[in-house]
Amino acid sequence: FQKNAFDVVLLRHILEHLPEYTTAIKESLRVATSHVLIDFFIAPTPLPFDLHFTLQPGYHENRYSRWRFERFLTSQDLASWQSWNVAGSKGQTARVYLLEKQRFN
C-alpha cells in the first residue's frame, strides 16, 4: 500500500502470531495517516525477555516482554502512545496500545 493510505490501522490479535513484531508495526505506521491501534489477546509479560513458541510449522504464539515492546515503541517517531489493560471474554487480560503518528509524517 502507499504511504498514508489508511486513516487508522488495526492490529488485532495478530502480533502474537508473527515471528517478530517490528516489521509489522513499522509498516503499519508507514501506511497509517494518524493512528495504529494494537490489541494483544494476551497482554505482554512482565518478563525482561520474549517467549517464542512454534506449535506447528508456520504457527507462532509469542508472549512479548512488555518492557522490550514499549522500549521499541519509544524508539519510533511517534507523537505519543498510550496503553491500557482490558478484560478479555476468555478471562485473559488483554492489552491495547494506541500509537499516534507525528503530524508531518
Side-chain angles (χ1 to χ4, degrees):
F1 296 102
Q2 293 180 349
K3 182 178 179 182
N4 298 326
F6 305 99
D7 291 334
V8 176
V9 173
L10 171 63
L11 299 173
R12 182 173 184 263
H13 304 186
I14 187 72
L15 296 182
E16 301 94 323
H17 303 293
L18 297 177
E20 56 87 24
Y21 54 78
T22 60
T23 303
I25 292 174
K26 287 178 181 180
E27 181 63 9
S28 296
L29 289 168
R30 186 186 71 78
V31 300
T33 57
S34 64
H35 292 85
V36 173
L37 181 63
I38 299 168
D39 179 1
F40 282 104
F41 179 70
I42 298 174
T45 72
L47 299 172
F49 51 86
D50 298 332
L51 299 171
H52 302 281
F53 305 98
T54 303
L55 304 178
Q56 61 188 26
Y59 183 82
H60 304 275
E61 190 162 306
N62 301 299
R63 303 295 182 264
Y64 293 118
S65 162
R66 181 174 171 183
W67 177 81
R68 289 185 55 166
F69 183 75
E70 291 179 357
R71 190 174 85 181
F72 168 75
L73 294 181
T74 302
S75 74
Q76 300 306 294
D77 189 22
L78 298 171
S80 67
W81 64 268
Q82 56 184 310
S83 66
W84 55 96
N85 287 331
V86 294
S89 60
K90 302 294 183 190
Q92 82 286 3
T93 300
R95 187 135 186 109
V96 175
Y97 289 83
L98 180 62
L99 316 182
E100 182 180 4
K101 287 183 61 173
Q102 295 283 355
R103 296 289 182 216
F104 55 82
N105 285 346

